[in-house]
Amino acid sequence: MPLENVLPLLQNEVRSKSLAIPMVRQAVDSFYFHCAQLAERKGLPEELREQVLQYFDQELFKQETTPFVLGKTLNEAVFSSAIKLHLAGGDTEAAWKLINNLRRAVKAGKEEAPKLHFRTVSPLLEHECRHDQFLSAYSRWQQLKQYDVEWTSAMEDVLVQMVVSCVKNDQQQLNEYTAMPEDDTIESHFHAQMGSLLHDLQLTCREVSPSNAQRLLQAFRDAKYSVETVPSDTHMRPKCPCCGHVLIKLGMSEQEREYMLSAIELRRSKVTPERTVKEFLDPFRDWLMHRHETFRLQTLAGGAKGSKPLHYVLDGPNIAYINQNFEAGTYRLDQVDAVAKDLQAQGHLVSITMPAAYLADKFVVRIRSKHYKAMRRQGKFVTRERTPAEKAILAHWKEQDMIYSCRTDFLSDDLFWLYASVLMGREGRVVTNDQGRDHVFALLNGYNSTSAKTRTQKNGKRSVVDAAAQAEGEDSAPSISMDLVARWKDMTTVNIEIQHEETAHISSDWTNLIPIEDIALLHPLPFSRVPQVTAPQHFHFPIAEQANRNEHPNQTQSQRKHTRWLCVHRDDLK
C-alpha cells in the first residue's frame, strides 16, 4: 500500500486509541521508518514529506505534553526517522531544532534523565560531514557528547567520518589561505579538533576497524600526508619507525583512582547484602600498604639505580591452575613460587593473594576437565592433602609475610587483587590471566554485586564526564566507564605464560609434576593502543584484528596475533 494511503490510517489509529499503547507507538515507528527510508532514496514525494513532518510536529510530538516520557509518550526510534526526513529536504536547522526539543523534553522535571541513543542524533552529524559542513557538525557534537548521548562502540564509524571531514576541511582552508603562511591559527584549531575527536575514539573503540583504517588512509593521503602501516606493537618500540615519535601512554588520574577504589569498596557482600565489602578489604589494605610503604622506604634508602623496583601482587589460584586442565592436573603452588622468586631476583617486592581454603592442609581441587566438571554436577568434589614440598613453600611465604589469606565467605577472592591493583597505581602490578569479567561488568554498570539475584542496574554505560560528575556520598557503587577500566588494566595487569617440559608420557598421578621449562611475563605496553595525536601533524591509529561491532576491543577474549598501526604524519608544515 502506498505511504500516502497509510498516513490517514495511522492518524485514525492514533486518534481512536492512544500513543500510550505500545502497538500504536510501534505503528508510528514503522510508518516513519519507511518514510525516512524512501526519502533517503529520493523516492518520497516532497508534499508527503512535508505532510508527515507537520503531523509529527503538531500532533505526535506536542511540546505542551507533560510529562514527556521517552518510550511511553513516543519511542525514540521515531525521532531518528523524523530527523532523517528533515535532512532529506536539506533542512539541517530543523533537524537540530528537533534534537534540542527532544533534549529539553527528556530532561524536563527529571533529576536524572535518560540519555539519547547515538543513532538518533548521528544522521545529522553524518549529513553535515558529507556536505562539507564539518565545523557545524563538530560544534553540534561538542554540545551533545557532554551529557545527552549514551557512549557506545557504535559511534566508531561516525567519529571516523568526522575525522575524515576534519582533515578535508583543514586541507580546504590551507588551500584558501596559502597567501598567509605566517598565520598558524588554522593549524592550531585543526590540532585541537583532531585531539578532541581522537580522544572520543579512545572512549568508544580504542582500536579502529580495518575498514575504517582504510578510510582514514585514503583521506590522509588525499590531504598529502605520509601514511604508512606498521606491522606490530614490537616495531613501535622505542619509537615509531615511520615518523620517529614515541607513542603516548595513558594513565589514571588520582581522582579516577579514588573513584575506582570507591566503586570496589561500595560493592555489597555476596552473603550479607546490607554490608559493603570495604570492612572485609580494610585488613588487606592495611597489610598490603604497610608492606608497600616499607619496601618504598627501603628502596629510597638503598639508592637503587636503573629502573624503579615495583610491587607485584600475584593472583595465587590463577597462576597455580595455569595449564592444569587435564586429568592429572592439580593446584601447583610451585608455579606461584617460581614466579615469585623470578620477580624477587629482579629486585621487586612480591605479595600473594590466596583464598583461605587453599592454605589448609587438605583442600578441594577445582580442575576444569570434563571428568571434574561431571563430578561437580553430581555434587562430588576431589580433595587432596598438602605435600611436604608445598608445606615448605607456604612456611617460607608466611615467614616472609608475603601471603595474604583471603576471606571468601563474604566476598570473591578476585576482589583482593583487583583492589590491590588500584591501591598501588603506577607503583604496582598484578600478575594474573583472569580477566575479572564479572567484576568488570559490575563496575561498568554500577552493580552492587556480581550475583544476578542481587544486581540493581543504576545507570548503564557512562562517559568519562558522567563518571567524574557522579555525586559523592552515594551508598551504592558508582558505575565506571569502559575507557577507565581499559586504562586501569592497561596500566596494572601483567599476563603470564608458563611452558612445561615435553614428556613422552603424561602420568595419571598428580604427584608426578611436569617440570617448568619457562615462565614469561607479558608486561603492559609502554604505550597505549589508542588513536592518538602524538605530535602536531602526527597521528597514530591502532588497527583491530577483526571488526567486531558488538564488543569493545578490551573485552575480547582471544589474544590478538596482529597488532598493526597506521602512522600518519606530515613534516612540510611547521
Side-chain angles (χ1 to χ4, degrees), residues 113-157:
K115 294 184 179 299
L116 302 180
H117 288 97
F118 182 68
R119 64 175 177 268
T120 303
V121 301
S122 62
L124 175 57
L125 305 178
E126 291 178 284
H127 177 90
E128 292 191 319
C129 286
R130 284 197 306 268
H131 291 80
D132 297 332
Q133 296 174 303
F134 166 73
L135 293 178
S136 176
Y138 180 79
S139 175
R140 301 192 203 281
W141 172 235
Q142 298 310 303
Q143 297 179 56
L144 288 169
K145 72 178 184 180
Q146 294 297 323
Y147 305 106
D148 298 311
V149 177
E150 183 179 3
W151 289 73
T152 72
S153 58
M155 293 177 171
E156 179 191 341
D157 289 347

Side-chain angles (χ1 to χ4, degrees), residues 187-229:
E187 284 310 302
S188 63
H189 286 169
F190 171 67
H191 186 75
Q193 291 159 355
M194 286 293 290
S196 175
L197 291 173
L198 265 59
H199 177 261
D200 294 341
L201 271 175
Q202 293 173 11
L203 302 183
T204 57
C205 63
R206 296 183 72 84
E207 296 176 330
V208 297
S209 67
S211 59
N212 279 329
Q214 190 62 35
R215 293 170 64 192
L216 291 166
L217 182 148
Q218 192 60 53
F220 278 108
R221 282 185 176 168
D222 289 345
K224 312 303 181 186
Y225 279 81
S226 296
V227 185
E228 300 173 72
T229 301

Side-chain angles (χ1 to χ4, degrees), residues 328-342:
T330 190
Y331 187 83
R332 293 189 56 168
L333 281 185
D334 64 310
Q335 294 187 162
V336 185
D337 193 48
V339 176
K341 288 179 177 177
D342 184 42

Side-chain angles (χ1 to χ4, degrees), residues 477-516:
S479 59
I480 300 295
S481 72
M482 186 69 229
D483 169 64
L484 180 53
V485 169
R487 283 185 281 126
W488 155 58
K489 294 179 70 176
D490 189 38
M491 187 173 67
T492 61
T493 303
V494 177
N495 294 135
I496 179 172
E497 292 178 351
I498 297 179
Q499 297 292 330
H500 295 88
E501 294 181 5
E502 293 187 9
T503 58
H505 174 70
I506 298 179
S507 172
S508 59
D509 183 1
W510 69 264
T511 60
N512 294 326
L513 300 178
I514 303 174
I516 297 172

Side-chain angles (χ1 to χ4, degrees), residues 424-437:
M424 296 184 297
R426 294 182 181 276
E427 296 181 346
R429 299 285 187 272
V430 170
V431 181
T432 182
N433 287 339
D434 191 338
Q435 298 298 312
R437 289 187 180 86

Side-chain angles (χ1 to χ4, degrees), residues 24-42:
V24 176
R25 292 199 305 275
Q26 290 170 11
V28 170
D29 294 344
S30 180
F31 173 75
Y32 275 83
F33 171 79
H34 284 93
C35 286
Q37 204 173 44
L38 202 58
E40 288 180 322
R41 298 198 299 263
K42 307 298 182 183

